[in-house]
């Protein structure tokens, strides 16, 4: 499986392109504001077309370019965040106005939003994503696990010095970052729920997993369990 990472211009969201191989359908993850031209360039270079879009959660910086990227393709999102597609900037509270200005383009409604729950999903042939509910940052925050990745490219991996990984890959959205975790002070965030999620993930994330967050460099389960002060605080 190919996993190509991009860095969206607004808020530096890690936008990802997944495909079982060249010349076929791809899954685009978290198409942030300004990412559409970058995504289309990757698709052209690899002979791919968008078969589905997946988002880790319903914040505007992770889904603003969904319509421009997805077209007629379905967009999968954790069920508790599906309502955020009506007004994603509004769900950011006071931050929303500034984000909409930075985005530079108006919000375009998405044609086919599909709320999903935990479990295995195959949005395109050959790409199986295992959804793990991880509320706290938002009610519908979802981690997406995939196996069998053979090629990793893009800034999130280069910054971490990672060129290959034999184990599972987990897309953590804004739940777990390298050395940090997602904020809970935006509308729908909940600190107690986030602490519970972090405790559950500490015992359930594969020990050999490569974690790809919604912002910043990739990291590993082992590194975060050993050094992340926010996870340590949740476990205390």
């Amino acid at each position: 499986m190919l996993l190509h990472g991009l860095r969206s211009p607004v808020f530096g969201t890690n936008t990802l392109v997944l495909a079982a191989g060249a010349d076929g359908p791809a899954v685009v993850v978290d198409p942030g504001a300004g990412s559409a031209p970058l995504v289309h360039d990757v698709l052209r270079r690899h002979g791919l077309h968008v078969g589905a879009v997946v988002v880790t959660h319903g914040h505007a910086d992770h889904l603003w370019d969904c319509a421009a990227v997805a077209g007629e393709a379905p967009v999968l999102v954790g069920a508790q965040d599906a309502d955020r597609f009506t007004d994603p900037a509004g769900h950011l509270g006071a931050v929303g106005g500034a984000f909409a200005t930075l985005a530079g383009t108006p919000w375009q409604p998405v044609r086919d939003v599909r709320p999903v729950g935990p479990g295995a999903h195959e949005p395109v042939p050959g790409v199986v994503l295992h959804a793990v509910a991880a509320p706290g940052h938002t009610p519908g925050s979802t981690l997406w696990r995939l196996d069998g990745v053979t090629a990793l490219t893009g800034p999130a991996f280069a910054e971490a010095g990672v060129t290959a990984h034999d184990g599972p890959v987990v897309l953590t959205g804004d739940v777990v970052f390298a050395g940090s975790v997602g904020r809970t002070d935006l509308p729908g965030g909940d600190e107690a729920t986030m602490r519970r999620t972090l405790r559950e993930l500490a015992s359930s994330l594969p020990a050999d997993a490569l974690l790809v967050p919604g912002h910043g460099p990739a990291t590993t389960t082992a590194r975060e369990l050993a050094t992340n002060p926010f996870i340590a605080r949740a476990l205390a």
Side-chain angles (χ1 to χ4, degrees):
M1 187 183 302
L2 309 176
L3 196 167
H4 186 85
L6 305 165
R7 190 64 51 79
S8 296
V10 182
F11 286 19
T13 302
N14 286 326
T15 296
L16 307 169
V17 178
L18 314 175
D23 302 312
V27 176
V28 178
V29 181
D30 285 358
S35 67
L38 305 176
V39 169
H40 292 147
D41 180 62
V42 170
L43 297 176
R44 282 194 300 270
R45 286 192 282 113
H46 294 278
L48 300 169
H49 63 273
V50 177
V53 171
V54 167
V55 299
T56 58
H57 63 288
H59 278 157
D61 55 322
H62 291 258
L63 54 78
W64 198 260
D65 276 16
C66 269
V69 169
E72 300 288 341
V75 177
L76 281 62
V77 61
Q80 298 302 313
D81 277 6
D83 63 332
R84 292 169 177 254
F85 280 82
T86 58
D87 180 19
H91 279 88
L92 287 176
V95 180
F99 178 86
T101 299
L102 288 171
T105 58
W107 167 244
Q108 297 294 324
V110 177
R111 298 187 182 191
D112 186 1
V113 178
R114 298 187 184 180
V116 299
H121 301 270
E122 189 172 10
V124 303
V127 178
V128 178
L129 299 170
H130 298 268
V132 179
H137 180 63
T138 66
S141 285
T142 300
L143 272 59
W144 297 91
R145 171 182 165 167
L146 53 148
D147 299 284
V149 176
T150 57
L152 297 165
T153 58
F157 308 111
E159 291 166 357
V162 176
T163 58
H165 184 70
D166 292 333
V169 174
V170 180
L171 315 181
T172 61
D174 286 4
V175 177
V176 176
F177 303 116
S180 188
V181 298
R183 61 192 292 181
T184 57
D185 60 337
L186 295 173
D190 186 271
E191 178 66 23
T193 301
M194 176 65 96
R195 288 198 301 269
R196 183 167 62 250
T197 287
L198 293 174
R199 288 193 295 270
E200 292 173 352
L201 293 177
S203 61
S204 63
L205 281 175
D208 59 342
L210 178 70
L211 309 182
V212 186
H215 305 270
T219 183
T220 64
T221 301
R223 183 179 298 124
E224 297 314 303
L225 289 178
T227 65
N228 191 313
F230 299 93
I231 293 177
R233 191 177 305 158
L235 293 174

